[in-house]
Amino acid sequence: MNLDVSLRKNYGGFQLDVAFSLTENRCGIFGPSGSGKSTLMHLLAGLLEPDEGRIELAGQILFDSARRINVPPEKRRIGVVFQHAHLFPHMNVRRNLLYGWKRTPEAERRIDPQALARVLQIDQLLERGVNSLSGGERQRVALARTVLACPRLILMDEPLNGLDEELKFQIIPYLNKVFSEFAVPLLFISHSLHEMRLMADEVLVFEGGHMQQRLPAEELARRSLVTGSRGYANLLTLRGPRPHGDLWLYHWEGNELILTDSGAAGDNVFELAAKDITLFKRHPEASSARNMLPCRVAGIFGAGNRIGVELACGSGRLICQIVPDSVRELDIRQGAEVIAVVKASAFHRLY
Amino acid sequence: MNLDVSLRKNYGGFQLDVAFSLTENRCGIFGPSGSGKSTLMHLLAGLLEPDEGRIELAGQILFDSARRINVPPEKRRIGVVFQHAHLFPHMNVRRNLLYGWKRTPEAERRIDPQALARVLQIDQLLERGVNSLSGGERQRVALARTVLACPRLILMDEPLNGLDEELKFQIIPYLNKVFSEFAVPLLFISHSLHEMRLMADEVLVFEGGHMQQRLPAEELARRSLVTGSRGYANLLTLRGPRPHGDLWLYHWEGNELILTDSGAAGDNVFELAAKDITLFKRHPEASSARNMLPCRVAGIFGAGNRIGVELACGSGRLICQIVPDSVRELDIRQGAEVIAVVKASAFHRLY
Amino acid sequence: QAAEVHLSVAASMTDAIKELDAAFIVDHPDVTMLPNFGSSGSLAKQVAQGAAADLFVSANPKWMSYLETEGKIAPQTVRDLAQNTLVVVGPQKTAVNSLQDLEVMERIALGSPGSVPAGQYAQQAMRAAGVYDRLAAAKKLVMAKDVRQALLYADRGEVDAAFVYGTDALLVQKAVVLYTVPANLHDPIYYPMGLTIAGEKNSAARAFYDFLASPAARKILAKYGFCAPGAGAAAK
Amino acid sequence: MLNLSPQDMQAIWLSAQVATAATLISVPFGFAVAYFLVFVRLPGKALIEGVVNLPLVLPPVVVGYLLLLLFGQSGVLGPLLQSLGIRIIFTLKAAVIASAVVGFPLLVRSIRTGMEDIDERYLQASRTLGARWWDTLLTIILPLSGRALLAGMTLMFARSLGEFGATIILAGNIPGVTQTIPLAIYEYTNTPGGDRMALSLCLVSIVISFAVLLANESVSRKFRQRTTR
Amino acid sequence: MLNLSPQDMQAIWLSAQVATAATLISVPFGFAVAYFLVFVRLPGKALIEGVVNLPLVLPPVVVGYLLLLLFGQSGVLGPLLQSLGIRIIFTLKAAVIASAVVGFPLLVRSIRTGMEDIDERYLQASRTLGARWWDTLLTIILPLSGRALLAGMTLMFARSLGEFGATIILAGNIPGVTQTIPLAIYEYTNTPGGDRMALSLCLVSIVISFAVLLANESVSRKFRQRTTR
Ligand SMILES: Nc1ncnc2c1ncn2[C@@H]1O[C@H](COP(=O)(O)OP(=O)(O)OP(=O)(O)O)[C@@H](O)[C@H]1O
Ligand SMILES: Nc1ncnc2c1ncn2[C@@H]1O[C@H](COP(=O)(O)OP(=O)(O)OP(=O)(O)O)[C@@H](O)[C@H]1O
Ligand SMILES: [Mg+2]
Ligand SMILES: [Mg+2]
C-alpha cells in the first residue's frame, strides 16, 4: 500500500486534521470513541468531502483540493465495511454478497464466494432476507460483501463487533490469509488492542481528531505493558502437538512447551501474557508450573513498577513482565541467565 | 424479579422454544450468534408476538396465549436497549434521553438525568443531533434513554458493544449501582463471559433457540475453566492501597497483596486469572513473583488436563488452575497446605 | 374507399345530431359519421388549431364568425341549421309573468354570458327588461358553465329560476317551465352551421350538409324541440 | 404586462383563500385517515381506501354533482344544514369543500407513503419507553412523516388552485363570491379574444403555486437535515 | 343492474387503454425527473419542478388548450408531426397524452417522496462496492422506491380514469374513437334521462380503480415484506 493522506475536515464542533503516509499493507487505526476514526474512513472512501487536503493511493490522486480532483467513490476501488453493516434491505444474503463481486472485472475476482461464505459461516443463510439476520450474522455478511468486491484497499470499521470470541478468532486468520495472499492492503479500525495486533502491522493512534502516535503494532503492544490495563501478550506460533500424559507437548523455536490445550496439526497461534511468566534465578522444585525454560535476558524496558524483560529462549523471544524489586533481587541485566516458569494453562489458543 | 416465561416462536427456519422462571435480579443470556437472544428480548418486550406461551412478570400476566392476554409494550414497563441503538433521528440527544423519563410518573423518576449523562460521558453531546454521533456515543445515549425510563425490568442486547474497554469498565459499576440501588431487575445479553460475570448473577445459556443450561454466573465461570478458551478469572475486592516501594500494598480478606497498580481509596475490583496463580509445596526462593500466600486447599474440581483448585487464604477464596501432574506432584488434596505464588502484575483492575 | 365525415357539434344538439347521422347513413351506407360533441368555444378552438372537422355546428353565431375570420370556414356555406327559444324554468311554487318578477327571487341561474350563448341571450333579455344590473349587483345571478348545469340547479331546487333553452326544458324532471322569454327581448337564437375548408372538398360532408336542409332532417330536429330557421317560436 | 381587472383580483384572492382553507382543513383528516390505513389492522380497510380515492377516479364534474346531492337543499344533509342556518351551496364554503374533497386522495396517498417508510424500530423504541399509540403518533410518526405531509399539502394546494369541475357545480360561478381563478379562466377562454386575459390569470396561478412550492422545498430541506446525516 | 350500451362498453375499453398507456408511458419519464430532482445538484432545479407541477396548478381545460397549441396543425410541433405522418388531435394518442400530462405531477411527487426517504447509507455502500450512478439507480434506488413508484402509478391511473377537461379539448369527444368514460358521462348528462346511465359508468370507473388499488396494495405489501422486518 502506498497511501498518502493529508486532510482537514470541520464537523460542527469536531475537527479532524491528519497527515500521514502509509506503506505497510496492514495498518490499524486505534482510538477512543469519538476520536474521528469513522470520519477518516468516510473521507478516504470518498463518501465525505474534506474541507482541504489530498489523498493519494498507489500513485493515483484520489482527492486534491488544490487541483480540484475528487475521484468518486465507485472509481476509488476502496472497499468499506461499515460500523453498522448497511446491508441492502431489498436483496437476500446471496445478492448482497455478490453485489460488489459482479461489478468487479472477471480478471480481478480473486476470491471464491463459496469458500468465503463457508469460512464466515454464512453459507446456510444465502437465501435468507437480510432483515431476518441476527446482529452478528449481518456483520459477517457485510464483511464478505466488501471482501468479494476485491478492492485495492479495504477500510474496516470495527468489523468484528458483535461477534463472539470464538467466531472472531475463526475469522481473523482467514481474513489475514485473504489479505496477504492477494496482497489487499487493509486499514483496520478497532478499539481492541488484541484485534489490532492480529490484523495490523502498523498502528495510527487517534485522539480528538488528531493522530497522536504512529508505531508498529508490536511496539504499541509493548507500550501497553506499561500503560495499558491488560499488559503485553506474547504471540507464539507453536508446532506439532504430541500428547504428553494429560497434556500436550509443542515445538517452539527450539524449545519444547507443555500446554493443556491440544491444537491443530500445523501451526497454532497461542497467546501468552507477559504477566504469566515468572522468573526464577534457580530451578525451582515442586511447582505446579509445567514449563521451566532456561533463558538469557536480551533486554530490559518499561517504566515505573512495570518492567518488561525480553528473554531469548532457544531461537525464540519472550517478553516477561516483572516489578523493579524483582529486577534487583534476581539480578536481572542483559545477558543474565534465568529460568522462565510458565504454567501449562497459561497459553491461550487464538487459532 | 419474578419472571415466568414459557414461549414458542417459529421464525422462518428458526424455532425458539424456552421455558424458565427467574428470581435473581441480575440475569444474563449467553449464547452464540443466531441463538435467539434478540428474539427472546423482542418477545418479552411485547414487540413480537409469540406463537404460544405465557409471560408473567412480578405477578402480572403480560402474555398468555391460552387466555388471549397480550399487554402492549408501553404498558409492560420493560425497558429495552437495542443492539443498534435506534435513536430517534428527529430529536437531539437531550430529547432522546428524556423521552422515556418524561413519560414516567414523577414519583417513579428515580434517576437523575444529569448525573447519568455525566457518568456515560454524554453530557457534552446533549444539544447534538443524533445522526452526528459516533458509534459508541449512540450506544451510550441509548443506554441512558432506557435507564431513565425507570422500567420494572431492563433488557439489554449487547449494550456495551462498540465501547472501548476503559469506558466499558467505567460504565459497568455505575450501571450496577443504578440497578442495585433502585432494584431494577436486569436481563443482560452478551457474548462476553466477562461482562456476564460483572453484570449478572444467574446466566441462561442459549443455543439454537433452546435454553441449554442455566446456572449462576460464578458457576458458568468455573465451568469455563475447563471448557472456555480464556479460563477462569478470580474477581477480588481489594481495599486501602498503600505505597510499598514502587508497588502498592492492598488488604484482601485478611491478607496483604502486592500489586503494580495503584487503585482508588475505597474498594477496587481486580481480576486475577486462575492461570496466573502458581502453587508451590514449599516457600520458593528468589522468584520474581511478589506474592506468596500460604493457603489451604478447600476443594478440587475440573476435568481432563484442567484442574481447578479452590484455595482458602485468610477469609478469602481463590481458584487456581493447574494440571493433573501437578496435583500428583504437589500432593494436592482437600486440607493440604500450599503456597500460592502470584506476580504483582497479574492483577488487572476493572474498576 | 369509405368516406368519413367529421362533425364538430355543440353539445346541446347531441341527440338530434345522433339521430340525423343514423338517418343519413341509411341512404349512404359507405359513409362513416364521426361526431365530436363539446362546447362551441372549445370546438371552435379545435377547428382553429387544425383539428379534423368537415362540418361545424355552433350554438352561437360568435364562434362561427370567429372561425370565418380565422379562415377555417367556407363563408358561403354558413347558414342556420335550427332555432331555439329561451325559457325560464324553476320549482313549481313560483309564478313568473314577466322578467321583472325575477327580482323577488334569491338565486337565478343562467349560463355564463361570456361563454354560454344561452346565458348571453338571457343577459340580453334581462337587460331589455331592465333588471340585469340590479340582479347582478345583488349577486343573485349564478353563472353556470353550461345550460345543463343551470337546468340541474333548477331541477334540484337550488335556485328559484334558471334560463335555459326550450329544448333543454324537455329534460326537466321536477322543475317546470315558468315563463317563455319573448323572442323580441333577445337576438334570434340560431344554430349556425358551416362547412370547413376541408369539409367543402369532402363530398360526403356536402351530402350531409344538404341532407340537413331536407324535410326529413327538419322533422327530426323538430322532434327534439328545435324549430326551422325563421320559424320564430319553439314547441311548448 | 399583466393587466388584471378588479374582478380578476377578486378571483385571485378567493382562490388563495379557498386553496389555503381546503388544505389546512384537510390536513388533520388526511393524517388520521393515512394513520388508519397504515397502522390499524382491520378488515375492510381496502374499502375505505377505495372511498377515499373516489374523488380522484371520478370526473370532477361528477364529484361536484354527488356533492350537490349531499349538500343541496333537497340533498341528504341539506335540510339538516338548513335547520342549523348553514348554507353551503353557492358560497365560498362550497368551493372549499369541493377543493378539499377533490384533493383529499392526493393528500392521503402522500402521507401514507411517508408513514409506511418510517422504520418500525423507532415505533418499537418509543413504545418500550412508555409512549401510548397516540403519543407515538404525535412524537414519532408525525415528525417523521412531516416531509411527506408537506409534500401532500403542496400537492393539494396546487390541485386546489386548478380545481374547476367540482367547484363550478357546488359553488356556482358567482363573480366576487365564488368565482375562483379557474372559473374566471374558463369564462375568458370561452370568449373569442379572451385568451390573453386567461393567460394572465394562468400566470398568477403559476406564480402562487411556485411560491408555495419553494416554501415547501425549504421547509422540507430543514426536515431532511434534521433527520438524516 | 348495470345496463351498458355498446357505446358505453367502447368508452370503458378506451378508458382502460388510455389510463394504462398514459401510466406506463409516464413511468420512465417520471422516474427520471424525480431522480433528477432528488439526486442531481444543479441550480434552477426549482424551475423544473415548477414546470412539472404546471398541469396540476392549471385547470385541466387550460392544460388541454395549451396542449392543443402545441400539437395542433398550426401549433409548435404540428408541422413536424405532420411531416412524419403522425396525427395527434382527435385520436386516442391525444387522450393518452392529455392523461399523461395531467397525471404527471402526481407521479413525480410520489416517486420523489419515496426517493428522498431512501437511507443515504445504502447509496454509499453501493458506490463503494463499485456501482456507478446509473447502476446504483437501477439496483438500489429503483427497488427501494418501488412502493412509492407503485403508489404514484395508482394515483396516475386513477386520475386518468377521471380525466375530462384536457382530454375533451385535445382528443375531442368522438364516440368510439376518443370518448372515454368521463366524456361519455358528460354526454349522458346532456341527454334526457341520462343520469342513470351516467351513474352506471361511474360505477364501472370505481370498480376498475378499485381493482387497480387492490393490485397495488398486494404488490406493495410484498415490497414492504421484502424491505423491512
Ligand atoms: N455530521 C456530523 N456533524 C457534527 N459532528 C459529527 C458529525 N459526524 C460525526 N461527528 C462527530 O465527530 C466526532 C468523530 O466521530 P467518528 O464517528 O469519526 O468517531 P469514531 O472515532 O468513529 O468513534 P466510535 O469509535 O465511537 O465509532 C464525534 O465527536 C462525532 O460526534
Ligand atoms: N424475521 C425473521 N425471519 C426469519 N428468521 C429470523 C427473523 N429474525 C431473526 N431470525 C433468525 O432467528 C435466529 C435468531 O436471531 P436472533 O437475532 O435472536 O439471534 P441472536 O442470538 O440475537 O444473535 P446475535 O448475537 O448475532 O445478535 C437467527 O438465525 C436469525 O437469522
Ligand atoms: Mg466509528
Ligand atoms: Mg442479537
Side-chain angles (χ1 to χ4, degrees):
Chain A
M1 168 162 60
N2 245 316
L3 179 65
D4 268 306
V5 174
S6 145
L7 292 173
R8 278 205 322 106
K9 174 82 190 170
N10 234 316
Y11 228 6
F14 178 79
Q15 160 133 27
L16 185 87
D17 191 347
V18 288
F20 56 85
S21 107
L22 296 176
T23 47
E24 288 288 353
N25 257 347
R26 308 184 329 148
C27 287
I29 298 184
F30 188 73
S33 180
S35 58
K37 308 183 295 295
S38 299
T39 304
L40 175 69
M41 196 193 71
H42 278 82
L43 291 170
L44 291 179
L47 299 174
L48 201 62
E49 197 172 325
D51 296 337
E52 206 183 310
R54 203 166 162 290
I55 305 171
E56 185 177 330
L57 175 66
Q60 188 197 350
I61 296 175
L62 299 182
F63 180 83
D64 192 333
S65 57
R67 292 163 61 186
R68 294 172 169 271
I69 296 175
N70 188 5
V71 176
E74 70 272 20
K75 297 240 179 79
R76 294 195 179 189
R77 298 204 43 227
I78 294 183
V80 180
V81 181
F82 294 91
Q83 205 164 355
H84 293 294
H86 304 350
L87 299 180
F88 301 131
H90 57 296
M91 301 182 184
N92 64 11
V93 172
R94 179 195 300 283
R95 290 185 57 214
N96 263 286
L97 279 185
L98 297 181
Y99 192 89
W101 196 73
K102 284 193 194 140
R103 282 156 183 80
T104 308
E106 284 211 35
E108 302 187 11
R109 291 184 191 164
R110 296 168 302 185
I111 296 153
D112 177 36
Q114 280 299 331
L116 185 64
R118 252 197 310 280
V119 171
L120 294 175
Q121 297 181 12
I122 48 177
D123 48 339
Q124 299 302 318
L125 308 175
L126 292 179
E127 303 311 324
R128 285 265 291 275
V130 296
N131 293 297
S132 72
L133 297 181
S134 79
E137 288 164 350
R138 295 178 73 84
Q139 206 56 36
R140 281 176 274 160
V141 173
L143 202 63
R145 183 176 70 171
T146 303
V147 169
L148 285 176
C150 307
R152 294 190 292 185
L153 166 65
I154 291 191
L155 310 174
M156 292 192 164
D157 199 353
E158 312 190 21
L160 305 176
N161 259 1
L163 299 185
D164 37 302
E165 285 245 305
E166 216 166 308
L167 198 54
K168 206 181 271 191
F169 290 114
Q170 256 164 43
I171 291 173
I172 287 181
Y174 185 82
L175 284 181
N176 271 325
K177 199 175 138 227
V178 167
F179 290 134
S180 62
E181 207 162 284
F182 302 115
V184 184
L186 172 67
L187 211 60
F188 186 84
I189 295 176
S190 178
H191 286 135
S192 152
L193 185 60
H194 208 81
E195 290 174 11
M196 229 15 129
R197 287 275 299 293
L198 295 169
M199 294 298 300
D201 297 323
E202 187 164 34
V203 177
L204 312 181
V205 180
F206 270 57
E207 177 104 36
H210 295 269
M211 199 178 86
Q212 288 292 334
Q213 295 180 51
R214 173 192 176 153
L215 65 194
E218 172 64 19
E219 181 59 28
L220 181 68
R222 283 195 184 197
R223 289 203 189 171
S224 78
L225 183 139
V226 179
T227 56
S229 63
R230 287 261 156 212
Y232 178 87
N234 295 284
L235 297 180
L236 311 181
T237 307
L238 308 187
R239 292 205 177 78
R242 285 152 298 144
H244 177 83
D246 297 323
L247 306 173
W248 298 84
L249 205 60
Y250 287 78
H251 286 294
W252 175 63
E253 308 283 351
N255 305 281
E256 302 241 294
L257 295 177
I258 296 177
L259 277 70
T260 43
D261 288 342
S262 64
D267 284 8
N268 295 279
V269 174
F270 279 86
E271 177 191 28
L272 173 62
K275 299 168 175 180
D276 287 359
I277 303 176
T278 314
L279 298 185
F280 288 78
K281 195 68 192 167
R282 274 175 298 282
H283 204 294
E285 319 159 47
S287 159
S288 64
R290 295 292 93 187
N291 298 288
M292 316 229 173
L293 295 174
C295 323
R296 213 168 22 76
V297 175
I300 302 179
F301 63 95
N305 59 18
R306 299 175 176 201
I307 305 297
V309 180
E310 189 170 351
L311 303 168
C313 323
S315 54
R317 295 261 156 156
L318 282 180
I319 303 255
C320 158
Q321 180 183 344
I322 61 176
V323 296
D325 281 356
S326 306
V327 175
R328 261 169 276 135
E329 285 174 23
L330 302 183
D331 191 21
I332 307 271
R333 56 198 149 63
Q334 187 129 8
E337 303 280 340
V338 290
I339 310 288
V341 174
V342 184
K343 299 178 66 175
S345 59
F347 298 87
H348 173 228
R349 182 161 186 249
L350 298 181
Y351 52 86
Chain B
M1 169 161 59
N2 245 314
L3 181 65
D4 268 305
V5 174
S6 144
L7 294 173
R8 279 206 319 107
K9 174 82 189 172
N10 236 315
Y11 228 6
F14 178 78
Q15 158 132 27
L16 184 87
D17 192 346
V18 288
F20 55 86
S21 107
L22 296 177
T23 48
E24 290 286 352
N25 256 346
R26 308 183 329 147
C27 287
I29 299 183
F30 188 74
S33 180
S35 59
K37 307 184 295 295
S38 300
T39 303
L40 175 67
M41 197 192 69
H42 278 82
L43 291 170
L44 291 180
L47 299 173
L48 202 63
E49 196 172 325
D51 295 337
E52 204 181 311
R54 204 167 162 289
I55 305 173
E56 184 176 330
L57 175 65
Q60 189 197 351
I61 296 174
L62 299 181
F63 180 85
D64 191 332
S65 57
R67 291 164 59 188
R68 295 173 168 269
I69 295 176
N70 190 5
V71 177
E74 70 272 18
K75 296 241 180 77
R76 294 194 181 191
R77 300 207 39 229
I78 294 183
V80 180
V81 181
F82 294 93
Q83 206 163 356
H84 293 294
H86 305 352
L87 299 181
F88 301 130
H90 57 296
M91 301 183 185
N92 65 10
V93 172
R94 180 194 300 283
R95 289 185 57 213
N96 263 285
L97 279 186
L98 297 181
Y99 192 89
W101 196 72
K102 284 192 194 141
R103 283 160 182 76
T104 309
E106 286 211 33
E108 302 188 9
R109 291 185 190 161
R110 295 168 303 185
I111 296 154
D112 177 37
Q114 281 298 333
L116 185 63
R118 253 197 309 283
V119 171
L120 295 175
Q121 296 182 12
I122 48 177
D123 49 338
Q124 298 303 317
L125 308 175
L126 292 180
E127 303 311 322
R128 286 263 293 275
V130 296
N131 293 297
S132 73
L133 297 181
S134 80
E137 289 163 349
R138 296 177 72 82
Q139 205 57 36
R140 279 177 276 157
V141 174
L143 203 61
R145 182 175 70 171
T146 303
V147 171
L148 285 176
C150 308
R152 293 190 293 186
L153 165 65
I154 291 191
L155 311 174
M156 294 191 161
D157 199 354
E158 312 191 21
L160 304 176
N161 260 1
L163 299 184
D164 36 303
E165 284 243 309
E166 218 166 308
L167 199 53
K168 207 180 270 191
F169 289 114
Q170 258 164 41
I171 290 173
I172 287 181
Y174 186 82
L175 284 181
N176 272 326
K177 199 175 137 228
V178 167
F179 290 133
S180 61
E181 208 162 284
F182 302 115
V184 185
L186 171 68
L187 212 60
F188 185 86
I189 296 177
S190 177
H191 286 137
S192 152
L193 186 58
H194 209 77
E195 292 174 9
M196 230 12 130
R197 286 274 302 289
L198 296 170
M199 295 296 300
D201 298 321
E202 186 164 34
V203 178
L204 313 180
V205 180
F206 270 57
E207 177 104 37
H210 294 270
M211 198 178 85
Q212 287 292 333
Q213 293 179 50
R214 171 191 179 156
L215 66 193
E218 172 64 20
E219 180 61 28
L220 181 67
R222 286 197 181 192
R223 290 203 189 169
S224 77
L225 184 142
V226 180
T227 53
S229 62
R230 287 262 158 209
Y232 177 87
N234 295 283
L235 296 180
L236 311 181
T237 307
L238 306 189
R239 294 207 173 78
R242 283 150 299 145
H244 178 83
D246 297 324
L247 306 174
W248 298 84
L249 205 59
Y250 287 77
H251 285 296
W252 175 64
E253 309 282 352
N255 305 283
E256 301 240 297
L257 294 176
I258 297 177
L259 276 71
T260 44
D261 288 343
S262 66
D267 285 8
N268 294 279
V269 174
F270 280 86
E271 177 190 30
L272 172 63
K275 298 168 175 178
D276 286 359
I277 303 175
T278 315
L279 297 185
F280 288 78
K281 196 68 190 166
R282 272 175 299 281
H283 203 294
E285 316 159 50
S287 159
S288 63
R290 293 294 92 187
N291 298 290
M292 315 229 174
L293 294 175
C295 320
R296 211 172 23 78
V297 174
I300 303 179
F301 62 95
N305 58 18
R306 300 173 175 201
I307 305 297
V309 180
E310 189 171 351
L311 303 169
C313 324
S315 57
R317 294 262 156 153
L318 282 180
I319 303 254
C320 158
Q321 181 184 343
I322 60 176
V323 297
D325 281 356
S326 307
V327 176
R328 262 168 274 131
E329 285 174 22
L330 302 182
D331 191 19
I332 307 267
R333 58 199 146 63
Q334 187 129 5
E337 304 281 337
V338 290
I339 310 289
V341 175
V342 185
K343 299 178 68 176
S345 59
F347 296 87
H348 174 228
R349 180 161 185 253
L350 298 180
Y351 52 87
Chain C
Q1 180 198 331
E4 286 185 349
V5 179
H6 290 271
L7 307 176
S8 282
V9 182
S12 50
M13 296 200 84
T14 302
D15 290 316
I17 285 292
K18 276 191 175 168
E19 191 165 340
L20 289 167
D21 282 352
F24 177 68
I25 51 177
V26 172
D27 296 330
H28 301 77
D30 53 335
V31 176
T32 310
M33 304 301 292
L34 292 167
N36 173 29
F37 301 106
S39 76
S40 306
S42 51
L43 296 175
K45 286 192 173 143
Q46 288 167 343
V47 174
Q49 290 302 320
D54 297 310
L55 182 71
F56 175 51
V57 179
S58 173
N60 182 338
K62 252 188 346 192
W63 287 111
M64 185 58 81
S65 49
Y66 166 76
L67 284 183
E68 275 182 70
T69 39
E70 291 283 308
K72 299 289 180 187
I73 294 282
Q76 70 283 2
T77 64
V78 176
R79 63 178 170 79
D80 293 338
L81 171 62
Q83 267 191 24
N84 212 337
T85 53
L86 192 66
V87 299
V88 176
V89 295
Q92 285 146 343
K93 46 188 189 265
T94 40
V96 178
N97 296 315
S98 71
L99 288 180
Q100 278 78 12
D101 291 350
L102 295 178
E103 286 202 72
V104 301
M105 297 178 168
E106 276 303 311
R107 301 269 158 189
I108 298 142
L110 67 159
S112 186
S115 51
V116 185
Q120 203 182 329
Y121 298 127
Q123 190 184 35
Q124 284 175 354
M126 282 188 280
R127 283 228 165 96
V131 297
Y132 183 79
D133 291 331
R134 260 173 289 146
L135 288 173
K139 309 215 175 263
K140 286 183 173 177
L141 300 179
V142 177
M143 309 298 190
K145 96 182 145 57
D146 49 34
V147 177
R148 279 290 297 152
Q149 192 188 340
L151 189 65
L152 173 69
Y153 287 148
D155 222 10
R156 297 202 53 82
E158 305 297 348
V159 294
D160 305 311
F163 285 91
V164 301
Y165 287 133
T167 52
D168 293 311
L170 298 178
L171 311 182
V172 293
Q173 286 159 358
K174 296 207 194 87
V176 293
V177 175
L178 301 177
Y179 179 64
T180 300
V181 182
N184 57 2
L185 290 183
H186 55 78
D187 292 344
I189 304 174
Y190 288 123
Y191 286 76
M193 67 171 175
L195 287 169
T196 61
I197 303 300
E200 212 186 358
K201 300 186 193 101
N202 182 341
S203 57
R206 267 206 317 275
F208 184 67
Y209 174 82
D210 294 336
F211 165 75
L212 287 180
S214 68
R218 288 264 149 82
K219 235 173 86 189
I220 292 172
L221 282 167
K223 184 175 145 200
Y224 286 95
F226 298 100
C227 38
K236 268 210 180 169
Chain D
M1 190 206 90
L2 288 180
N3 45 24
L4 299 169
S5 70
Q7 192 176 322
D8 292 346
M9 294 303 298
Q10 260 181 335
I12 293 167
W13 172 230
L14 286 176
S15 250
Q17 279 180 292
V18 168
T20 308
T23 306
L24 293 182
I25 288 172
S26 306
V27 163
F29 297 101
F31 195 81
V33 170
Y35 178 86
F36 176 82
L37 290 175
V38 175
F39 292 106
V40 179
R41 274 184 213 159
L42 212 76
K45 251 170 39 172
L47 202 76
I48 291 181
E49 180 159 17
V51 172
V52 168
N53 266 331
L54 273 192
L56 194 69
V57 180
L58 297 177
V61 180
V62 173
V63 175
Y65 180 70
L66 295 177
L67 287 175
L68 188 67
L69 294 188
L70 191 64
F71 290 107
Q73 277 177 323
S74 48
V76 183
L77 295 180
L80 176 71
L81 290 170
Q82 211 161 20
S83 69
L84 295 173
I86 302 175
R87 245 187 86 92
I88 302 280
I89 309 292
F90 301 149
T91 66
L92 208 58
K93 293 189 206 85
V96 172
I97 290 174
S99 279
V101 168
V102 169
F104 200 66
L106 305 182
L107 183 69
V108 171
R109 171 63 62 178
S110 182
I111 302 176
R112 248 191 95 165
T113 317
M115 281 186 179
E116 280 171 347
D117 281 334
I118 296 177
D119 191 331
E120 208 191 347
R121 295 176 301 185
Y122 296 134
L123 312 183
Q124 294 185 340
S126 94
R127 302 204 55 197
T128 62
L129 289 168
R132 304 286 185 84
W133 68 266
W134 48 266
D135 192 352
T136 302
L137 172 66
L138 289 178
T139 56
I140 310 293
I141 295 175
L142 181 59
L144 288 182
S145 55
R147 262 179 336 126
L149 179 64
L150 263 178
M153 285 172 67
T154 318
L155 267 185
M156 183 155 189
F157 187 91
R159 180 76 181 83
S160 296
L161 281 183
E163 210 320 285
F164 169 75
T167 307
I168 198 165
I169 302 267
L170 195 65
N173 179 9
I174 308 176
V177 180
T178 63
Q179 192 178 64
T180 55
I181 298 179
L183 307 196
I185 291 176
Y186 177 76
E187 282 225 27
Y188 282 128
T189 55
N190 273 314
T191 315
D195 289 0
R196 278 191 65 91
M197 308 292 286
L199 206 68
S200 296
L201 279 179
C202 282
L203 281 179
V204 172
S205 259
I206 292 169
V207 168
I208 295 177
S209 76
F210 207 73
V212 170
L213 206 92
L214 286 181
N216 165 35
E217 282 308 292
S218 72
V219 179
S220 179
R221 198 164 305 124
K222 279 214 195 91
F223 259 104
R224 201 177 186 196
Q225 275 171 0
R226 267 175 46 202
T227 54
T228 57
R229 192 190 272 247
Chain E
M1 189 204 88
L2 287 180
N3 46 24
L4 300 168
S5 69
Q7 189 178 318
D8 293 344
M9 294 303 299
Q10 260 179 335
I12 293 167
W13 172 230
L14 287 175
S15 250
Q17 277 181 295
V18 167
T20 308
T23 306
L24 293 182
I25 288 170
S26 306
V27 163
F29 297 101
F31 195 79
V33 170
Y35 178 86
F36 175 82
L37 290 175
V38 175
F39 292 106
V40 179
R41 275 185 213 159
L42 212 76
K45 252 172 37 174
L47 202 77
I48 291 182
E49 180 160 16
V51 171
V52 168
N53 266 332
L54 273 192
L56 194 69
V57 179
L58 297 177
V61 180
V62 174
V63 175
Y65 184 60
L66 294 177
L67 288 175
L68 188 64
L69 292 185
L70 188 66
F71 290 107
Q73 274 175 330
S74 47
V76 182
L77 295 179
L80 175 72
L81 289 171
Q82 209 163 23
S83 71
L84 295 173
I86 302 177
R87 251 179 65 101
I88 302 280
I89 311 290
F90 289 172
T91 66
L92 210 57
K93 292 190 206 83
V96 172
I97 290 174
S99 280
V101 168
V102 169
F104 199 66
L106 305 182
L107 183 68
V108 170
R109 171 61 61 176
S110 181
I111 302 176
R112 250 192 93 166
T113 317
M115 280 184 179
E116 281 172 346
D117 281 333
I118 297 178
D119 192 331
E120 209 192 346
R121 295 176 301 185
Y122 296 134
L123 311 182
Q124 294 185 341
S126 93
R127 302 204 55 196
T128 62
L129 289 169
R132 304 286 186 82
W133 69 265
W134 48 262
D135 192 349
T136 302
L137 172 67
L138 289 178
T139 56
I140 310 293
I141 296 175
L142 181 59
L144 287 184
S145 53
R147 259 176 341 124
L149 179 64
L150 262 178
M153 286 172 68
T154 317
L155 267 185
M156 183 154 187
F157 187 90
R159 181 76 181 83
S160 297
L161 282 183
E163 211 318 284
F164 170 75
T167 308
I168 198 169
I169 303 273
L170 194 67
N173 176 13
I174 307 173
V177 180
T178 62
Q179 192 178 65
T180 54
I181 297 179
L183 306 192
I185 292 175
Y186 168 77
E187 197 178 303
Y188 278 125
T189 59
N190 273 320
T191 316
D195 287 2
R196 278 191 65 91
M197 308 294 285
L199 205 69
S200 296
L201 279 178
C202 282
L203 280 179
V204 171
S205 260
I206 293 169
V207 168
I208 295 176
S209 75
F210 207 75
V212 170
L213 205 93
L214 286 181
N216 165 35
E217 282 308 292
S218 74
V219 179
S220 181
R221 197 162 309 126
K222 280 215 194 91
F223 259 103
R224 201 176 185 198
Q225 276 172 359
R226 267 175 47 203
T227 54
T228 57
R229 191 192 271 247

